Amino acid sequence: QVQLQQSGPGLVKPSETLSLICTVSGGPLTSTYWNWIRQPAGKGLEWIGRISASGINDYNPSLKSRVTMSVDTVKNQFSLKMKSVIAADTAVYFCAKGGYSGYESWGQGILVTVSS
Amino acid sequence: EIVLTQSPDFQSVTPTEKVTITCRASQSIGSNLHWYQQKPDQSPKLLIKYASQSIPWVPSRFSGSGSGTDFTLTIDSLEAEDAATYYCHQSSSLPRTFGQGTKLEIK
């Protein structure tokens, strides 16, 4: 089973860009989708979007204007950028592997706080 | 967007009890419904895929059923370690969505 390790800053200023990376080990970045999901404190899960190994993206319409995802198959990483962040973007961000059959592997989660 | 509504939101149960959590979709999603368990400060863990398919590392007391719009997660003979929040999730259409969660407290 693959493992996902997340990295990135835990504090971002309002109006700036949130950037996170998910590094995949134990298998290549192929044949499935790689997802980003977030969870505000004490609340439920929100799907942000996904990217395939070939770089095809699908984003949640509610965030689409601010989100960019990319993939680096050489480094076995995929990344999330969210621009113009506000306090409401404060959440634990997870990366996860999976497509139609559910998300079988998850990163450890990173708390990103938007504050000046 | 497909809305998933879980019930109940919260349940307090005793060990060995049988627990049933339901998830209703706002439109038919076939069997494209999955269940997760999330314990505090942990990532969600996949319990059941495609409504009723078991996951090898998940204890056999967890089972799922349903299709179309109505789904059920059942925990037979609850154990103390099952205290967690449970989420359903649909992969029928984009954007992917989750239920609001059901929190299980062990008495």
Side-chain angles (χ1 to χ4, degrees), chain A residues 29 32 51-56 71 73:
Chain A
L29 268 177
T32 189
I51 187 166
S52 68
S54 59
I56 298 172
V71 64
T73 54

Side-chain angles (χ1 to χ4, degrees), chain A residues 53-65:
Chain A
S54 59
I56 298 172
N57 294 302
D58 294 295
Y59 300 142
N60 193 320
S62 66
L63 298 167
K64 186 175 183 177
S65 63

Side-chain angles (χ1 to χ4, degrees), chain B residues 26-39:
Chain B
S26 58
Q27 62 190 75
S28 179
I29 57 173
S31 296
N32 296 303
L33 189 284
H34 319 287
W35 290 97
Y36 301 85
Q37 177 194 66
Q38 186 181 31
K39 296 182 180 180

